[in-house]
C-alpha cells in the first residue's frame, strides 16, 4: 500500500500538471465587444466598456443572400469576422459565404487559426483536404446541395465547382473570430518581397525560368 507521503506527492504533481495545461475554454464574461480604437495590444482586441455597447455591435446587414461577382479563379469569399462584427471578439466563431462560378474554385489554402465546416446551399462541389507530412493523404468528396464537410484546422484544403454551366454557393462557419487565410499559390509565388527563385526552383524541382514566370503572374485575392 502506498505511503501517505507518496500519495501526497502524486496529488501535488497532478495539481501542478493541471495548472500547466489549464486554459479558459470560454469567455470570462457575457461578451467582450472589440474596442477597435483602444491603444492596448492584446491577443485579439481589448473590451469596449459595456455601458457603450448596443445591439449594433452584434449585427451586420451583410446581405449574405445576395450573389457575389467572382474573380479570375472563379470564386468570391465574403468573410464576416470580428472586423465586421465587433461583438464576435473572444467568441471564437465567424462565418463566410462562398460563391463559385461554373468551373470556379476556392484554390488550395489553409486557415491557421480555425477549423471550418462547410454547407452547400446551391450546386455541386468537389472538396478535399490534405494531411500533414509524411503521408500527405488526400481526403476528398463530391458534395451536393445540403451536404456538409469539415476541414480540420491548419490543413490545406480546396473547393471546386465541376459544373461548367451552373454556379454554386456555400456557407462556411469557422472556429475563430479571425481565422486567417493563406492561399498557397499566392503565398509561395506572390510574396512581397519574392522568395528567391533559386529556392523555389530547388523546392519544386523545376527550371528557374518556370518560377520566374509564375512569380510574374498577378496572384489575385478572392477574400473580400
Amino acid at each position: 500500500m502506498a505511503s501517505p507521503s507518496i500519495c501526497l506527492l502524486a496529488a501535488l504533481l497532478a495539481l501542478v500538471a493541471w495548472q500547466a495545461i489549464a486554459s479558459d475554454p470560454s469567455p470570462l464574461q457575457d461578451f467582450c465587444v472589440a474596442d477597435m480604437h483602444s491603444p492596448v495590444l492584446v491577443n485579439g482586441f481589448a473590451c469596449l466598456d459595456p455601458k457603450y455597447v448596443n445591439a449594433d455591435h452584434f449585427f451586420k446587414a451583410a446581405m449574405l443572400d445576395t450573389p457575389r461577382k467572382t474573380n479570375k479563379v472563379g470564386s468570391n469569399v465574403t468573410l464576416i469576422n470580428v472586423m465586421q462584427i465587433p461583438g464576435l471578439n473572444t467568441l471564437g466563431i465567424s462565418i463566410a459565404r462562398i460563391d463559385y462560378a461554373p468551373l470556379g474554385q476556392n484554390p488550395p489554402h489553409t486557415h491557421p487559426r480555425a477549423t471550418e465546416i462547410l454547407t452547400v446551399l446551391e450546386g455541386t462541389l468537389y472538396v478535399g483536404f490534405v494531411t500533414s507530412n509524411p503521408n500527405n493523404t488526400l481526403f476528398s468528396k463530391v458534395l451536393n446541395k445540403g451536404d456538409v464537410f469539415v476541414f480540420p484546422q491548419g490543413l490545406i484544403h480546396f473547393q471546386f465547382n465541376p459544373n461548367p454551366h451552373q454556379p454554386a454557393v456555400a456557407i462556411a462557419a469557422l472556429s475563430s473570430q479571425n481565422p486567417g487565410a493563406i492561399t498557397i499559390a499566392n503565398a509561395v509565388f506572390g510574396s512581397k518581397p519574392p522568395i528567391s527563385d533559386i529556392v523555389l526552383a530547388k523546392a519544386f524541382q523545376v527550371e528557374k525560368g518556370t518560377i520566374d514566370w509564375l512569380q510574374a503572374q498577378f496572384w489575385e485575392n478572392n477574400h473580400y
Side-chain angles (χ1 to χ4, degrees):
M1 187 172 181
S3 68
S5 59
I6 293 177
C7 291
L8 178 60
L9 178 60
L12 288 173
L13 288 174
L15 179 62
V16 170
W18 176 84
Q19 290 289 346
I21 63 173
S23 62
D24 294 326
S26 58
L28 301 179
Q29 60 251 356
D30 288 344
F31 53 76
C32 173
V33 171
D35 184 352
M36 301 299 187
H37 304 292
S38 173
V40 178
L41 299 179
V42 296
N43 185 22
F45 294 94
C47 301
L48 184 67
D49 189 326
K51 69 184 177 184
Y52 299 122
V53 172
N54 59 60
D56 286 338
H57 289 110
F58 303 91
F59 169 81
K60 182 177 179 63
M63 297 186 293
L64 291 186
D65 60 332
T66 304
R68 263 65 171 178
K69 183 179 179 181
T70 57
N71 66 0
K72 68 178 183 179
V73 298
S75 64
N76 182 317
V77 179
T78 305
L79 176 65
I80 307 298
N81 64 8
V82 68
M83 303 306 295
Q84 287 77 40
I85 301 181
L88 286 174
N89 192 39
T90 75
L91 298 185
I93 194 169
S94 55
I95 192 170
R97 173 191 169 110
I98 313 171
D99 289 79
Y100 309 86
L103 299 180
Q105 67 171 294
N106 189 11
H109 64 283
T110 178
H111 301 294
R113 295 180 289 275
T115 292
E116 176 181 349
I117 184 167
L118 179 134
T119 304
V120 179
L121 299 184
E122 297 291 342
T124 299
L125 292 174
Y126 168 61
V127 307
F129 65 86
V130 179
T131 64
S132 56
N133 297 348
N135 293 333
N136 301 129
T137 303
L138 171 65
F139 290 87
S140 64
K141 195 80 175 173
V142 174
L143 307 182
N144 296 303
K145 183 176 179 178
D147 289 345
V148 175
F149 197 82
V150 174
F151 304 105
Q153 179 174 339
L155 297 187
I156 294 173
H157 60 283
F158 63 88
Q159 302 107 37
F160 171 68
N161 177 11
N163 192 316
H165 306 293
Q166 297 294 327
V169 181
I171 288 286
L174 301 109
S175 63
S176 172
Q177 68 183 42
N178 183 26
I182 302 171
T183 304
I184 306 307
N186 297 39
V188 173
F189 300 113
S191 67
K192 300 178 183 63
I195 300 172
S196 165
D197 55 3
I198 298 174
V199 171
L200 294 180
K202 182 75 170 179
F204 287 95
Q205 295 293 286
V206 298
E207 296 296 326
K208 193 162 72 72
T210 302
I211 299 298
D212 294 338
W213 181 85
L214 288 167
Q215 290 182 320
Q217 306 309 302
F218 176 67
W219 296 99
E220 186 174 0
N221 177 33
N222 68 336
H223 286 66
Y224 301 98

